[in-house]
């Protein structure tokens, strides 16, 4: 029993990939998708629990749906992902509008639960049970009969994450790859879960213990993506450098090799390939194999790296593999040893910096056009953070020279050690001020990092039209509507890229162009005054292999065909957020 589905994703890249896999699975079963929640019979939220703010957004969406469902009792509402895992039954109690919940480790069960929910809903509607009586203001309320029947589905949500791993592998394996439906770029999961238990973090609680996918599955997925025309692959894991698969210990169920549990890392594993000669695929081995066996992937990246247990073997593979991007996302979280210890990160500031120095010694070769770029994450306002700790973090940002850094205000998450044991005692206004100060320092550093590209030619993967261009298109569209309403016809308006067809691919790529592309409206050569009716140049947003944003103009007629391609751009001006240039040729 298929319906029209609206699926909204919150949070990280792992969630984006989960949503893509779930979409593929539901599509194969005949479900259609709509970008408009109001048109949908099924509304699904794939949620994130890392910070409270992300959860609040979902609560407010659910509140809106509760109002809608009162007059539209056929609507089915599902909460997927980390909130479903973290909140469990409490979420359904607080929000009776929710019909089904599926934690991240059980997404493979979504089609069955959804089918069940739709059938139950249809039969209850047929015999009138969900209609109930009119409530206040004539609004219909659901009877508990409808709720109980559907809430029953949620009891299939298990909390045994590790046990569910096997089934989940099938979800990744079932990935539908179509040449017509990708943006040239794709995520591939290599590990799930996390064993680190940083004291502030819910991920080990919601995504469970670390498991590593069999290398053959990962390589096969990369091959299928490359065959479908994908040129950029980002390997995903919470701590990718911990990847390790022991072939001697591999287990098959029903002919399918199963993922393996991660292990505790010893300090002796730090800088060397401790498994050389053993029948083990390490992260370095996996990278090497993908690079060798899937040459169609022109850019291979990985996120996120943990600053410890990052061996020279991985750095050597990156150095020897031209299609592996010299880019690391390696969060430090704080510049204070005291806080790093309270966070249970397992390294000191000195050790973190030693790692960066080592990585740069191997990989930073700007004179050969192969710089290493590094991005970080920082948590500001962790319990007990003093001005001295904060100053230490500022100093760290000057020393790390990240190309960008995600700075998060500490958010106390129930279930974590920090929530249970440490008072969230840095006042909100202090967190906000420190957040601003760190952003300021990082902006200076980012501007300097960008400036190093001035006058150079870079290769850049074209993601879509820039955000400024999207705004222009939107304005032109509303103008077109206004013209149409006035009876003057729509033909007078030449829409830029949205008029030239690559369907889904184009829409998704434009979305991906995301945040930093916004820089163009602040720093770009063009002004918003020229927004609107134009068949002239279109500003495109692309990324260097080091993940720097590149903005350049393309002819309107060439723009759509460029998306998902690699081009060469000569950099003419730079800002903290982006490099601006002119196209110098195909990559
Ligand atoms: N509060 C604020 N930021 C957090 N992160 C993880 N947990 C929290 C939290 N409780 C940040 C870390 C991590 C990124 C994905 O989210 O910086 O690297
Ligand atoms: Fe969370 Fe730490 Fe694991 Fe990253 S390494 S997912 S911050 S517990």
């Amino acid at each position: 029993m298929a319906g029209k589905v609206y699926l909204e994703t919150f949070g990280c890249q792992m969630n984006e990939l989960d949503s893509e896999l779930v979409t593929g699975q539901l599509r194969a079963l005949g479900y259609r998708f709509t970008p408009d929640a109001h048109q949908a019979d099924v509304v699904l939220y794939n949620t994130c629990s890392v910070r409270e703010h992300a959860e609040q957004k979902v609560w407010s969406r659910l509140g809106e749906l509760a109002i809608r469902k009162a007059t539209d009792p056929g609507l089915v509402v599902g909460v997927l992902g980390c909130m479903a895992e973290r909140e469990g039954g409490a979420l359904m109690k607080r929000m009776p509008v929710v019909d089904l919940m599926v934690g991240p480790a059980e997404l493979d069960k979504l089609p069955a639960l959804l089918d069940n929910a739709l059938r139950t809903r249809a039969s209850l509607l047929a015999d009138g049970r969900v209609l109930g009586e009119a409530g206040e203001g004539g609004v219909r309320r659901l009877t508990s009969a409808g709720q109980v029947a559907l809430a029953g589905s949620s009891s299939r949500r298990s909390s045994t994450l590790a046990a569910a791993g096997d089934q989940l592998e099938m979800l990744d394996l079932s990935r539908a790859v179509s040449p017509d439906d990708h943006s040239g770029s794709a995520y591939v999961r290599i590990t799930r879960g996390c064993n680190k238990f940083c004291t502030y973090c819910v991920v080990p609680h919601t995504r469970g213990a670390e498991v590593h996918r069999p290398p053959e599955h990962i390589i096969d997925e990369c091959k299928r993506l490359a065959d479908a025309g994908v040129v950029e692959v980002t390997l995903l894991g919470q701590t990718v450098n911990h990847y390790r698969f022991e072939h001697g210990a591999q287990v098959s169920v029903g002919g399918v090799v199963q993922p393996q549990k991660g292990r505790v890392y010893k300090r002796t594993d730090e800088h060397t390939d401790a498994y050389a000669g053993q029948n083990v695929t390490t992260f370095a081995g996996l990278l090497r194999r993908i690079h060798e066996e899937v040459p169609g992937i022109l850019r291979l990246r990985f996120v996120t790296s943990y600053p410890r247990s990052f061996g020279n073997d991985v750095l050597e593979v990156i150095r020897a593999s031209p299609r592996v991007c010299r880019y690391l996302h390696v969060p430090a979280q704080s510049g204070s040893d005291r806080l790093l210890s309270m966070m249970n990160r397992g390294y000191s500031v000195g050790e973190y910096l030693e790692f960066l120095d080592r990585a740069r010694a191997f990989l930073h070769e700007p004179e050969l056009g192969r710089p290493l770029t590094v991005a970080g994450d920082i948590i500001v306002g962790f319990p007990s953070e003093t001005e001295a700790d904060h100053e230490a973090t500022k100093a760290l940002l000057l020393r790390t020279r990240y190309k960008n850094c995600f700075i998060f205000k500490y958010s106390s998450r129930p279930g974590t050690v920090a929530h249970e044991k440490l008072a969230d005692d840095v006042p909100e206004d202090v967190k906000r001020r420190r957040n601003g100060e760190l952003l300021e320092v990082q902006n200076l550093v980012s501007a300097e990092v960008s400036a190093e590209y001035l006058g150079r030619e870079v290769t850049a993967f074209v993601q879509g039209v820039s955000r400024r261009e999207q705004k222009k298109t939107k304005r032109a569209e509303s103008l077109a509507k206004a013209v149409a309403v006035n009876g003057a016809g729509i033909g007078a308006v030449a829409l830029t890229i949205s008029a030239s067809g690559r369907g889904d691919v184009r829409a998704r790529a434009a979305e991906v162009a995301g945040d930093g592309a916004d820089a163009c409206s602040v720093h770009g050569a063009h002004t918003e005054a020229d927004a609107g009716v134009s068949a002239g140049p279109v500003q495109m947003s692309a990324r260097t292999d080091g993940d720097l944003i590149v903005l350049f103009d393309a002819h309107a007629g060439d723009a759509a065909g460029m998306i998902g391609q690699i081009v060469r751009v000569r950099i003419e001006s730079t800002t903290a957020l982006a490099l601006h240039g002119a196209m110098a040729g195909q990559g």
Side-chain angles (χ1 to χ4, degrees):
M1 169 174 273
K4 221 190 234 179
V5 182
Y6 170 81
L7 169 59
E8 188 170 348
T9 307
F10 299 81
C12 61
Q13 293 147 323
M14 201 61 94
N15 268 11
E16 281 174 34
L17 175 57
D18 282 340
S19 287
E20 185 185 331
L21 296 178
V22 158
T23 302
Q25 231 185 19
L26 293 179
R27 277 217 172 105
L29 292 168
Y31 288 91
R32 285 161 301 135
F33 280 74
T34 168
D36 180 359
H38 298 285
Q39 303 286 318
D41 320 302
V42 177
V43 173
L44 301 175
Y45 295 130
N46 191 6
T47 60
C48 171
S49 291
V50 168
R51 281 168 293 277
E52 193 187 354
H53 181 63
E55 289 196 346
Q56 273 165 354
K57 271 197 215 161
V58 174
W59 286 119
S60 96
R61 295 272 206 289
L62 290 174
E64 287 160 19
L65 283 184
I67 296 169
R68 172 175 161 196
K69 199 161 172 175
T71 53
D72 181 7
L75 181 71
V76 168
V77 177
V79 173
L80 320 182
C82 289
M83 266 176 92
E85 191 60 44
R86 204 180 74 70
E87 297 271 348
L91 189 144
M92 279 188 148
K93 230 180 227 165
R94 176 169 162 193
M95 277 293 172
V97 69
V98 176
D99 298 301
L100 61 97
M101 291 190 307
V102 189
E106 286 157 297
L107 288 173
D108 59 295
K109 300 191 183 84
L110 175 65
L113 293 185
L114 192 50
D115 188 58
N116 184 16
L118 283 164
R119 280 177 199 283
T120 312
R121 181 50 51 112
S123 69
L124 290 171
L125 277 173
D127 68 18
R129 273 190 286 158
V130 280
L131 295 180
E133 308 119 18
E136 283 163 39
V139 173
R140 280 175 176 159
R141 292 186 183 288
L142 295 176
T143 64
S144 58
Q147 228 101 61
V148 171
L150 291 170
S153 315
S154 73
S155 65
R156 297 197 37 201
R157 181 188 149 272
S158 95
S159 55
T160 52
L161 291 158
D166 299 347
Q167 284 310 309
L168 205 55
E169 182 61 16
M170 299 311 291
L171 184 65
D172 283 89
L173 287 176
S174 72
R175 182 176 200 160
V177 185
S178 146
D180 306 321
D181 189 19
H182 63 76
S183 59
S185 181
Y187 295 123
V188 171
R189 196 182 332 256
I190 66 167
T191 71
R192 304 192 185 92
C194 182
N195 284 350
K196 294 308 296 180
F197 285 97
C198 302
T199 53
Y200 51 79
C201 186
V202 289
V203 169
H205 307 273
T206 57
R207 291 207 176 253
E210 194 178 280
V211 292
H212 307 286
R213 299 184 63 208
E216 302 302 336
H217 293 183
I218 297 167
I219 292 164
D220 187 58
E221 196 171 322
C222 290
K223 278 185 184 155
R224 289 193 297 123
L225 288 164
D227 289 346
V230 167
V231 296
E232 180 181 74
V233 162
T234 303
L235 305 176
L236 289 187
Q238 309 295 344
T239 52
V240 279
N241 45 312
H242 290 178
Y243 179 84
R244 176 177 170 275
F245 193 87
E246 253 177 79
H247 296 272
Q250 86 181 32
V251 173
S252 295
V253 176
V256 178
V257 180
Q258 299 300 296
Q260 278 177 7
K261 280 195 173 172
R263 60 182 194 117
V264 179
Y265 277 74
K266 297 187 220 89
R267 288 193 87 82
T268 48
D269 302 340
E270 291 284 279
H271 298 187
T272 55
D273 182 356
Y275 302 97
Q278 298 179 29
N279 197 9
V280 170
T281 299
T282 57
F283 182 56
L286 181 70
L287 264 188
R288 186 187 298 115
R289 280 195 63 187
I290 300 173
H291 185 263
E292 275 170 15
E293 295 177 36
V294 200
I297 295 175
L298 303 179
R299 282 184 166 193
L300 185 58
R301 275 209 196 93
F302 51 86
V303 291
T304 298
S305 300
Y306 199 76
R308 268 191 55 193
S309 327
F310 198 115
N312 287 348
D313 54 338
V314 182
L315 298 173
E316 271 160 13
V317 170
I318 300 173
R319 186 167 56 190
S321 311
R323 294 185 305 280
V324 176
C325 299
R326 295 191 181 197
Y327 166 75
L328 297 175
H329 177 216
V330 55
Q333 310 297 6
S334 174
S336 152
D337 281 339
R338 187 180 70 86
L339 293 190
L340 285 176
S341 164
M342 287 172 74
M343 290 174 172
N344 191 31
R345 291 290 287 180
Y347 54 83
S348 64
V349 174
E351 285 169 320
Y352 181 86
L353 290 172
E354 263 170 36
F355 164 66
L356 275 196
D357 287 346
R358 188 159 54 90
R360 287 197 165 114
F362 268 86
L363 299 173
H364 191 52
E365 297 178 306
E367 64 291 350
L368 301 179
R370 304 228 63 189
L372 170 69
T373 58
V374 184
D377 292 355
I378 292 286
I379 295 179
V380 64
F382 188 77
S384 84
E385 186 186 72
T386 61
E387 284 305 316
D389 294 320
H390 172 57
E391 288 303 320
T393 301
K394 273 194 203 166
L396 180 75
L397 289 183
L398 290 172
R399 179 75 172 69
T400 49
R401 301 196 60 74
Y402 294 134
K403 65 120 183 142
N404 76 296
C405 182
F406 302 96
I407 296 165
F408 303 107
K409 283 187 286 174
Y410 172 70
S411 168
S412 185
R413 308 308 295 131
T416 61
V417 170
H419 181 82
E420 306 307 328
K421 300 219 165 120
L422 305 170
D424 184 6
D425 56 0
V426 179
E428 184 55 33
D429 58 331
V430 175
K431 281 185 190 168
R432 206 174 315 126
R433 170 183 54 82
R434 289 180 185 166
N435 187 40
E437 286 177 15
L438 292 179
L439 281 172
E440 226 168 87
V441 173
Q442 183 54 47
N443 259 345
L444 289 174
V445 175
S446 295
E448 285 174 14
V449 171
S450 292
E452 288 166 18
Y453 290 78
L454 204 59
R456 285 209 211 136
E457 201 173 285
V458 297
T459 54
F461 175 84
V462 184
Q463 295 184 292
V465 296
S466 71
R467 194 172 276 187
R468 187 199 73 189
E469 206 67 50
Q470 289 174 48
K471 281 187 198 154
K472 269 166 74 171
T473 305
K474 266 199 194 130
R475 282 196 194 191
E477 274 167 355
S478 27
L479 184 60
K481 264 192 203 146
V483 172
V485 167
N486 289 333
I490 202 162
V493 179
L495 296 183
T496 54
I497 188 138
S498 70
S500 46
R502 275 192 66 183
D504 278 346
V505 176
R506 192 189 55 245
R508 277 197 50 211
E511 228 175 74
V512 172
D515 312 359
D518 217 15
C520 60
S521 58
V522 184
H523 305 285
H526 301 261
T527 65
E528 288 295 316
D530 65 5
V533 184
S534 153
V538 178
Q539 190 183 55
M540 307 299 290
S541 179
R543 299 242 175 196
T544 67
D545 71 348
D547 205 41
L548 287 147
I549 295 163
V550 180
L551 300 168
F552 67 96
D553 282 348
H555 292 299
D558 300 337
M562 220 176 247
I563 295 171
Q565 306 290 313
I566 293 178
V567 298
R568 283 183 287 118
V569 179
R570 174 155 292 277
I571 304 306
E572 294 166 342
S573 67
T574 63
T575 68
L577 295 171
L579 314 178
H580 297 255
M583 202 170 133
Q586 294 290 327

